[in-house]
Amino acid sequence: MPETAAAPPTPPIPLAALLAREDLGLRQIAGPVEAGAAVHMVHTSEMADPYPYLLGGELLLSAGVLLKDPDRYVSRIVQAGATALGFGLAPVYDTVPTDLIEACDRHGLPLLEVPPQTTFTAVARAVWRLMAEARHRELRRVTQAQQGLAVAAARPDPVPAVLHQLAVRLEGWAVLLGPDGTELSSSGRAPSPEVRAGVIRLARVVSPGTGPSPRPTPASATDTVSPPSASEPGAAGPAASAVSHLSAYALGGSRGLVLGLAAPAREAGDHTVAGVAVVLLSLLTAPHQGADAAGRSAALVRMLLGASPAEAAPLLGPGPWRVVHGQGGDDSPFAATALGAALGSALVDPDADGCVRVLLPAEREVGAQPGWTLGVSAPALPEELAAADAQAARAVRRATATRKALVRHRDTAPVSLDEARHRLAPLADSPALVETLRTWLSLHGSWDRTAAAMEIHRNTVRQRIARCQTLLDEDLDDADVRMELWFALRHG
């Protein structure tokens, strides 16, 4: 199964970065020259049909030993979702076959010529080295951004300072919006009217509103805004030529406050940096929103003195709430408090068995935390917190048993068709992954029977299912998840 969320994945590298390596001597001779083409891995195969062994995103290397039908060969590579084909000039061919070049142009697959002096091992080693360098840069950038945001949060004017630090780190515009889209504070270069309107539009997507029955909403949303055409008034100049990447994040427990971002690019670590800012801003704005800390403390005291949850609910807040159980952390006496701060809640209870309980509003996003194993309950009203506590306890035991960073208690309510389509959307560009998941689920998770049914290797089945789990962000060991995905595949 894939790595847990606590370990960031190795980022892909641009195909252009590999072509820029003069020591390799690679040359693109066919297919589109796309700035966004990225290599996720390298795979070498001399099979006539490598499709069964491809997961998507590969640079496939081949010397054409069994190349008989270039058009079908290329079409199968494209169908599997590979990024590019690298064709070695030795030892079978002295030049790249013309039919292969034409097929790559026809199917839109970048074709790289690998000179005789460059071994496939050297290409693979270069890709891994570039990936390692990219990951190191990303981790360093994220770490520096986290430190900068933490320092900003300790300033006398923390909210504007955090927004300023975020705008600097992302080289864009950061804004705190009220429930009605009012700009409360912002930092960074003033955006264009189109960008500003786009951020406000995204804020409405993630804001649950302030009515008696807030609608369920995603915790975050993204979009892009293209510049106006050159013929439109005010479109001239360098600023009009860039696409803006927009994001909006709901602040947990803040009754509709939203963090909006606009940046010229969207890097792999930007979501992590924004997540840190969301936690800090949630904590910084929470005392002025919703049930105050004194009211919640009073509710807890009354419950300790024997009051029922229903009697204490008016002071605690209407909910719904989530209970989180955490196992692990470090040995410091502040570990439990640090976990609560990371999750955006001051309601923390460390017990003698090393488990930390955290109570937080249900709309607040719960993500994996480095060093912790977490179990998360379903949303619960105050009178249902005992059941939610039991759910979180079961979830953290399952997380520990399956070596996962986070397991959520699942609501097994029926899945609608719209929900099914949305759930499978991350696999939409990879028919091979969809078909593998469908077959694997229909055969009750059997690796061998799935491999036989699809005529692929069992290790390929394992790799594809692991890729599905990563893209879907689902626990495929959970029977409820398998049932819901089967329904989605059958009816979506």
Side-chain angles (χ1 to χ4, degrees), residues 163-229:
L163 291 175
H164 173 72
Q165 186 66 213
L166 193 57
V168 170
R169 295 292 176 178
L170 301 183
E171 300 181 1
W173 180 61
V175 59
L176 182 64
L177 298 171
D180 58 353
T182 303
E183 184 177 318
L184 304 179
S185 182
S186 66
S187 183
R189 182 178 179 180
S192 67
E194 294 82 9
V195 169
R196 188 183 299 271
V199 170
I200 293 175
R201 183 173 61 253
L202 276 185
R204 297 193 188 101
V205 173
V206 301
S207 177
T210 58
S213 301
R215 58 185 175 87
T217 59
S220 63
T222 61
D223 198 2
T224 56
V225 172
S226 300
S229 63

Side-chain angles (χ1 to χ4, degrees), residues 363-457:
E363 71 270 15
R364 188 163 297 165
E365 183 176 2
V366 179
Q369 302 298 322
W372 289 93
T373 300
L374 303 181
V376 185
S377 76
L381 296 175
E383 59 270 23
E384 301 168 336
L385 288 178
D389 185 58
Q391 291 173 358
R394 289 194 297 270
V396 78
R397 286 197 298 269
R398 181 173 180 80
T400 301
T402 57
R403 298 183 180 181
K404 297 184 183 299
L406 183 149
V407 168
R408 306 176 192 274
H409 177 83
R410 299 199 59 82
D411 181 359
T412 57
V415 181
S416 70
L417 288 180
D418 287 341
E419 290 172 332
R421 295 188 183 99
H422 176 74
R423 196 163 191 170
L424 294 171
L427 304 183
D429 295 332
S430 182
L433 292 183
V434 172
E435 188 57 32
T436 303
L437 179 61
R438 187 196 312 276
T439 306
W440 183 73
L441 290 174
S442 73
L443 296 174
H444 309 290
S446 170
W447 308 111
D448 291 330
R449 293 169 64 192
T450 303
M454 298 191 67
E455 298 181 347
I456 59 179
H457 197 277

